[in-house]
Amino acid sequence: MRRSYKIALAAVSSAIAVIAVVAQAYVSTVSIAVCVIAALAISLPLTQKSIGGAVFSYVAAGLIGFFAVNIKALPFIMFYAPYAIITYALDFIFYTSAKVKLPKWAKIAVITVVKLGFFGAAFYGCLTLMKVVVTDIAIFGIKWTIPLLMALGFIAFCVYDPLYRFVFINMSRIVNKYIGGSRRNSGRHEEKNAPTSSVEPLEGDIFDGYGDAGGADNGDDKGEDNGEKVG
């Protein structure tokens, strides 16, 4: 039952992502916002700690989106979708793993370098492959060269990263409360026998203020456990 649930969630995730990828090719004024929606769709399986489901959704949506809108799907393929998976692996697995024997500041430094490096490579790759010519464009007397776009892109990325994590964490709470909770109640026996995940939620550290991805789910389980003990 748990595996079927994750497969169904990955299928819904890829379907929403495909719709968003195709839509962003025709609504250029809000294409970034639609790409973010596609990235959040890819993140749906991650709310249930299913990296395999997210990868499946990414590959399926990327292939279908590329065949549908061709090169206009590259921002989703090269940055938005893979970043959703990468940031989950870094923030919710690498950072919280007890097996990684590094102090918190060192983990944060590694995460920051990897994220900035990935964004720089993905953004430059998109500009190059999509053959964006900006050297002749001048707005308010400023020529929008690729280095200037890269600098502005890094600033925008520093805003995008915490906002994305904030939205993902709250989306996880909603999924766990309204979907995961129903699944637990309808299949309590299977859930008790299912192996537990090794992924731990973020707790009191630099990520305070954003909560943790498993907050609602873990809170419900704790409440049930306490109720059983009192009873």
Side-chain angles (χ1 to χ4, degrees):
M1 180 179 293
R2 185 176 180 84
R3 183 174 299 176
S4 299
Y5 170 76
K6 288 184 177 180
I7 292 174
L9 193 61
V12 172
S13 167
S14 60
I16 297 174
V18 168
I19 294 172
V21 171
V22 174
Q24 62 86 28
Y26 298 98
V27 286
S28 57
T29 54
V30 290
S31 60
I32 294 178
V34 180
C35 281
V36 173
I37 293 174
L40 289 172
I42 296 298
S43 300
L44 271 175
L46 297 176
T47 64
Q48 300 303 299
K49 304 176 182 179
S50 175
I51 294 181
V55 172
F56 165 81
S57 179
Y58 165 48
V59 173
L63 288 175
I64 297 173
F66 184 78
F67 284 122
V69 296
N70 204 275
I71 200 169
K72 291 183 179 181
L74 284 183
F76 168 81
I77 295 173
M78 296 185 66
F79 171 68
Y80 289 97
Y83 180 74
I85 300 172
I86 290 172
T87 195
Y88 176 82
L90 290 173
D91 290 353
F92 296 93
I93 297 180
F94 171 77
Y95 183 79
T96 60
S97 175
K99 295 180 180 179
V100 181
K101 304 299 182 181
L102 290 175
K104 289 184 178 181
W105 66 265
K107 289 183 178 180
I108 294 169
V110 171
I111 290 172
T112 302
V113 170
V114 172
K115 285 183 176 182
L116 290 176
F118 172 76
F119 170 76
F123 189 49
Y124 181 79
C126 281
L127 290 177
T128 303
L129 292 176
M130 296 181 75
K131 301 183 184 302
V132 178
V133 180
V134 294
T135 54
D136 295 330
I137 298 177
I139 301 178
F140 300 117
I142 301 175
K143 288 189 176 181
W144 293 84
T145 61
I146 288 182
L148 180 57
L149 282 176
M150 291 289 293
L152 293 176
F154 276 110
I155 295 174
F157 174 74
C158 291
V159 176
Y160 173 80
D161 175 63
L163 286 178
Y164 168 81
R165 185 169 59 246
F166 173 80
V167 173
F168 169 72
I169 288 170
N170 285 277
M171 182 178 73
S172 299
R173 289 172 173 167
I174 294 172
V175 172
N176 287 322
K177 181 177 181 180
Y178 293 103
I179 300 179
S182 299
R183 174 173 56 84
R184 290 196 306 273
N185 293 333
S186 63
R188 179 63 61 183
H189 179 70
E190 288 81 357
E191 283 297 314
K192 286 183 178 179
N193 294 332
T196 57
S197 172
S198 60
V199 180
E200 296 294 334
L202 297 177
E203 295 179 351
D205 48 40
I206 192 172
F207 294 107
D208 280 352
Y210 297 110
D212 61 82
D217 192 18
N218 294 337
D220 293 343
D221 289 343
K222 290 179 181 178
E224 291 168 0
D225 292 341
N226 291 335
E228 292 173 359
K229 290 179 180 179
V230 172

